[in-house]
Amino acid sequence: MPKRSRQLLVWLHVITSVGWMSLALVLFALFTFGLSTDVPGMRDSADAMAHLLDKQVLAHLANASAFTGFMLSALTQWGYFRHWWVLVKFVITVVQLAFGVFVLVPTVAGINVVATVLMFSAIAFQAWLSVAKPSGRTPWTPPGKLPAGPAWMYGLSLAVPVIDFGVGFGVFGHPMPMLSLLVAVGYPLIVKR
């Protein structure tokens, strides 16, 4: 296994996950402030700042965190669906991404307060799962360990979030994680392990 590349991928996953969780708290603070202030114009300003941070920072961190987590699963002995703790993290991540896209909307600040608390809590729970690794294997897990993925794939997995950020932010002005999606879905289909 390419130890240095794997360590860098784990590092990128941890950094983006912590960033995602931290931004969830920042959004919570802004939405809460916006709901509680009586200062004219401050509610709109807090809401606008929250949505700017959501679009320009949190969304990129969430996409990179999800992608690096998926690739760590795909490239290591854990696999996507071999262990309960990985499967639970996988499901929570997919739900969070969909929830973030469809629920954090500019018109309903009260729902956004609840959504940001749920987002923070889900990421904190996923961090606990990563450390504790509870339960065992899923019933459909074949015996034995998966071999490590190829060294070049770790390097590609480090480059993909950077490329997606550059394309999304630089070209479209919003997240566009198409390469992340293609690699995370395509790698397990192309490379049978």
Side-chain angles (χ1 to χ4, degrees):
M1 175 185 309
K3 186 176 180 181
R4 172 117 8 209
S5 295
R6 183 184 181 282
Q7 288 174 339
L8 285 172
L9 190 58
V10 169
W11 171 82
L12 183 59
H13 180 62
V14 169
I15 293 296
T16 55
S17 298
V18 169
W20 186 5
M21 187 168 71
S22 300
L23 259 290
L25 286 177
V26 170
L27 295 185
F28 170 77
L30 286 168
F31 287 131
T32 302
F33 174 76
L35 287 173
S36 64
T37 187
D38 290 332
V39 178
M42 287 302 289
R43 177 175 290 178
D44 291 337
S45 294
D47 194 54
M49 284 188 285
H51 288 290
L52 177 69
L53 286 172
D54 178 44
K55 180 180 176 183
Q56 298 299 331
V57 182
L58 184 140
H60 295 289
L61 289 170
N63 290 332
S65 173
F67 172 74
T68 55
F70 293 156
M71 292 315 295
L72 282 167
S73 295
L75 293 169
T76 62
Q77 67 177 348
W78 304 112
Y80 279 134
F81 310 114
R82 296 171 62 90
H83 299 270
W84 284 112
W85 70 273
V86 177
L87 179 59
V88 169
K89 283 185 66 172
F90 182 90
V91 169
I92 289 172
T93 299
V94 170
V95 169
Q96 278 184 287
L97 291 173
F99 195 73
V101 169
F102 297 113
V103 174
L104 285 177
V105 294
T107 56
V108 189
I111 290 177
N112 288 335
V113 169
V114 173
T116 54
V117 169
L118 290 173
M119 184 187 318
F120 172 83
S121 301
I123 298 167
F125 178 67
Q126 288 176 298
W128 176 82
L129 286 171
S130 294
V131 172
K133 296 175 180 51
S135 296
R137 293 176 177 242
T138 58
W140 50 86
T141 302
K145 286 184 170 182
L146 284 173
W152 63 269
M153 197 62 209
Y154 284 91
L156 180 64
S157 296
L158 287 165
V160 164
V162 175
I163 294 167
D164 272 346
F165 175 78
V167 170
F169 188 71
V171 176
F172 298 104
H174 58 81
M176 186 60 88
M178 293 307 298
L179 187 56
S180 294
L181 183 61
L182 288 172
V183 172
V185 172
Y187 176 76
L189 295 175
I190 293 169
V191 179
K192 300 293 183 191
R193 299 186 327 123

